[in-house]
Amino acid sequence: MKFFLDTANLDQIREANELGILDGVTTNPSLMAKEGIKGNANVKKHYKTICEIVNGDISAEVISTDFDGMIKEGVELSKIHKNIVVKIPMIKDGVKAMSYLNKKRIRTNCTLVFSAGQAILAAKAGATYVSPFIGRLDDIGFDGIELISQIAGIYAVQGFKTQILAASIRNPLHIIKSAEAGANVVTCPLSSIMGLLNHPLTDIGLAKFMEDHKKVNSK
Ligand code: E4P
């Protein structure tokens, strides 16, 4: 399973990249706004910087919601770097745009997916990734992980090549459960990745090893 970081924050991207476990980055207009990145030129420059830090797929989201706008933006974004994947929302024009970009060999990540039906459409349109938002489903009382399992089952039976990118991850358990459910990728905040590290027995065990080593070696 690949690990993507879900942020536009360069410090966090560098920190995660230094761990050696980062396979890519996803962003969205809200995450770009959070970092204060505005204006077409600055947005493109920011994506280029991310591509220079991380050697992996970088999702860059369109802000148009009509077919012509999405394909124009998609083509422009794809020219920034070979690792750019164009993020397209799961709407009618989005499906059309993904099909078009797929034929032009421009890779896409279908975002804002909340049902198995939407995931089937994304696969049919030739999306490279489909992004079910599991945290946002959990937030309204639906089971986000169950959706990952359902999509994984359908894709396996049908032989769809689209990769399942579990998005809207809120905690380390979401990462573990996504792995069990068959996600190909998780995109997470840095805090959720770091949360996987922690176990009190590791800390206690390490302190004891250090103490025992010191007892003998300080004599
Ligand atoms: C996916 O690519 C989105 O950027 C993201 O995972 C949304 O997560 P949120 O629900 O925490 O905003």
Side-chain angles (χ1 to χ4, degrees):
M1 186 174 73
K2 290 187 233 169
F3 269 40
F4 288 179
L5 200 66
D6 195 27
T7 187
N9 182 284
L10 297 181
D11 290 339
Q12 288 189 15
I13 292 170
R14 285 193 188 94
E15 188 180 337
N17 197 45
E18 280 165 12
L19 290 174
I21 55 148
L22 194 62
D23 301 298
V25 174
T26 54
T27 60
N28 64 40
S30 303
L31 293 171
M32 294 296 269
K34 195 173 164 193
E35 300 307 315
I37 316 296
K38 55 182 176 184
N40 202 16
N42 286 331
V43 166
K44 281 187 182 165
K45 200 171 142 212
H46 201 75
Y47 284 138
K48 192 161 183 285
T49 306
I50 296 173
C51 290
E52 282 160 2
I53 299 171
V54 180
N55 183 19
D57 286 350
I58 312 298
S59 286
E61 187 158 346
V62 298
I63 46 158
S64 302
T65 53
D66 64 295
F67 173 74
D68 289 337
M70 280 190 265
I71 61 165
K72 184 172 178 285
E73 269 188 72
V75 170
E76 278 173 14
L77 289 168
S78 73
K79 286 180 182 158
I80 297 173
H81 193 281
K82 65 176 174 47
N83 289 347
I84 289 282
V85 177
V86 181
K87 215 168 163 190
I88 307 267
M90 171 38 77
I91 53 176
K92 189 176 170 190
D93 275 26
V95 173
K96 205 171 146 188
M98 284 185 286
S99 304
Y100 176 91
L101 293 170
N102 183 39
K103 285 186 190 93
K104 298 276 172 204
R105 297 185 178 281
I106 293 175
R107 296 179 305 144
T108 56
N109 171 359
C110 181
T111 191
L112 291 167
V113 167
F114 294 92
S115 73
Q118 291 178 325
I120 291 171
L121 275 179
K124 289 294 294 174
T128 308
Y129 297 104
V130 64
S131 291
F133 277 35
I134 64 176
R136 292 192 196 187
L137 277 170
D138 287 0
D139 289 347
I140 58 159
F142 287 82
D143 188 344
I145 295 296
E146 182 52 40
L147 177 61
I148 301 290
S149 299
Q150 193 184 11
I151 298 170
I154 293 169
Y155 280 14
V157 166
Q158 297 297 331
F160 288 137
K161 297 283 178 278
T162 300
Q163 295 178 57
I164 304 168
L165 194 167
S168 187
I169 296 271
R170 301 264 195 264
N171 54 54
L173 193 57
H174 272 159
I175 300 178
I176 297 163
K177 292 284 178 192
S178 293
E180 282 179 347
N184 304 101
V185 190
V186 280
T187 188
C188 339
L190 185 57
S191 57
S192 297
I193 297 177
M194 298 313 278
L196 293 174
L197 263 177
N198 301 327
H199 200 289
L201 290 180
T202 304
D203 300 337
I204 293 166
L206 183 60
K208 180 79 172 98
F209 287 158
M210 295 301 106
E211 187 190 318
D212 291 345
H213 173 80
K214 207 169 155 190
K215 265 186 219 160
V216 176
N217 286 278
S218 60
K219 280 180 188 161

